[in-house]
Each structure stands twice: as C-alpha cells, then as structure tokens.
Amino acid sequence: MLTNSKEMLEHARANRIALPAPDYIDLDSARTFVQVAEELRKPLLLSYPQVLDASFPLEEAAAIGRVLGERAAVPVALHLDHGMDVQFIERAIRLGFTSVMIDASNESFEENVKRTREVVKLAHSAGVTVEAEIGHVGQGENYIDLEDSETVYTTAAEAVAFAEQTEADCLAVSIGTVHGIYKNLEKPVLNFERLHELAENVKVPLVLHGGSGTGDENLSRCAAEGISKINIFTDFLTGAMERIRAYTPSDYMALKQAANQGMADILRYYYQIFSKR
Ligand code: 13P
C-alpha cells in the first residue's frame, strides 16, 4: 500500500534501526526494490531523484511508483529525493508522491529555512512527509579529504534550530559521507560523536545520504546510534554490473535479469545491515 513516510521513519527511530531508501532509475529497478521489500515484509522508501528528470521524466517515474506502491503488500512511501525547487516538488505531490525532500542545503541557513517552510506548508496540506537537509553532503568526485570537498558537517545547534523553524518531518545531516564513490579512500571516517549530539538533541528522525561505499560497520553503527533512513544509489549500479560480469549473460533478457538480481541482493543485504546490532 502507498503511504507517506512519517510513521515508518518514526517507527525506525523508536526501534533504533534504519530503513534503506534506494533510488530507482527505471521500471525494473523499482519493481525489484518493491519485490525485495515484500519478500522481507519490510516498509520501503522508493526514491526518485529529481536529477534523473531529463532521462526518466517525473511523470513516468510517478506512474511507475504509484502503481507498484498501491499494489504492494507492504507500506511503500513514494519519495522524491533531492527535490531542488518548489515547482518541481509541487508537481511531484500532484502526481502522487507521498514524501518529498527539499534540498536547499547549498543556500544560507535563512534561505534554506525559507524554502523548506514553503515546501512544508504545501506538502503537509496534502498529507505528504518532508525531508530537508542541513549541513551539506558533497559529491564523491570532489572527494580527496573533507577539507577539500564541499562537505559541511551539520552542527547540533543549527539542526535543532532548523528543525524547530521549518517543522520538517526528518532531517538529512552531514557526518562524513559523500554521494558516490570515495576516491583515494577505502571507506570514510564518520563523526559518531556528532551523530550522538544530533540524535540526542534533534526531535525528528535523521537521514544519512551517500550510503554507498561507507562500509558495513559504519552503516550498522549509524542505524543503531541515531540514523533512521539511509539513502543508497551507486552500490545498486555496482551490484548490477558485478552480477552481469559474473554471469556473462548471452542475451538481453538474461542481462536484465542479472542486473535485477544484482540490485535485489544489495537491497536484501542493506536491510539486514541496517537492522543489525
Ligand atoms: P550514494 O550514491 O553514495 O549511495 O548516495 C545516494 C544518495 O544519497 C541519494 O540521495
């Protein structure tokens, strides 16, 4: 069934687990993610990032997400990942997204608050959950060390003020991950002290972006120590390619099947890692 993400995130927070939020890129990946959630009887945050709009338009993504979500035997939130502008977010809500992220984390604190409040107002009047980002999770391509990347760690004081002023339902925070691949590093060193401060002081569920390549131990700890949702994208592409290489499919249908199975294995694995103590 299609639901918003509020209850599933609050349940995850109360139980000190994290839910995976996988980004889908087409019908196959979306269907695969829903099937895994059904098989494991877990809720799913089926996520579509605005950046894909040029190659996989919002209308198509919404139709796919809605049909799969409505038919699913488990709660599915259809989530807009990294919504960049209010108009796009408004369209997503009209098309049936039940959960949206407004990412104004590159703006000043005041501008971030202003844009987030605008989205909260329109989303809440439609029963839609809102995620916003405070601090900034940078891109892996630029990652050498944190001094050189555009990553900005979230402080507890600004996260508390931001949550109060915006009334967002959950907050993406920055504690040392980046989106994509970590060049020159096997895995990042996360600031768990900062995570503890955030988890103790912020009243809403916390979200971690840039889950790929972060390492199982880091991610299990994040889930157990205060993160309620972890976004994953790159690892699904890597998992699909590894499966294709291992199985050397002889025709296109077999290739698609191998890719789907590769993605399914990654999601199964992360559900387990994120609920392990
Ligand atoms: P990764 O590609 O690093 O998993 O990041 C995904 C993400 O944070 C999407 O919002």
Side-chain angles (χ1 to χ4, degrees), residues 21 23 49 81-82 101 137 178-182 208-214 231-235:
D23 281 324
D81 190 20
H82 290 287
M101 176 187 189
V137 175
V178 295
H179 293 102
I181 289 166
Y182 293 86
L208 185 75
H209 281 249
S212 297
T214 302
N231 287 31
I232 309 275
F233 176 52
T234 311
D235 277 355

Side-chain angles (χ1 to χ4, degrees), residues 120-176:
V120 165
K121 205 166 150 214
L122 77 96
H124 282 181
S125 69
V128 168
T129 318
V130 178
E131 173 183 341
E133 179 164 327
I134 183 72
H136 182 70
V137 175
Q139 297 298 328
E141 297 96 72
N142 306 333
Y143 190 86
I144 299 165
D145 60 45
L146 285 174
E147 301 303 314
D148 287 348
S149 86
E150 76 271 42
T151 293
V152 179
Y153 277 92
T154 309
T155 67
E158 69 183 348
V160 168
F162 187 80
E164 278 169 6
Q165 289 176 38
T166 60
E167 294 177 33
D169 302 289
C170 58
L171 282 196
V173 294
S174 177
I175 56 166

Side-chain angles (χ1 to χ4, degrees), residues 221-253:
R221 266 194 82 183
C222 280
E225 296 176 25
I227 293 286
S228 305
K229 157 162 117 68
I230 302 181
N231 287 31
I232 309 275
F233 176 52
T234 311
D235 277 355
F236 290 110
L237 306 183
T238 311
M241 274 314 290
E242 277 174 6
R243 188 77 169 219
I244 289 168
R245 284 198 194 97
Y247 283 69
T248 53
S250 56
D251 62 59
Y252 181 62
M253 294 307 281

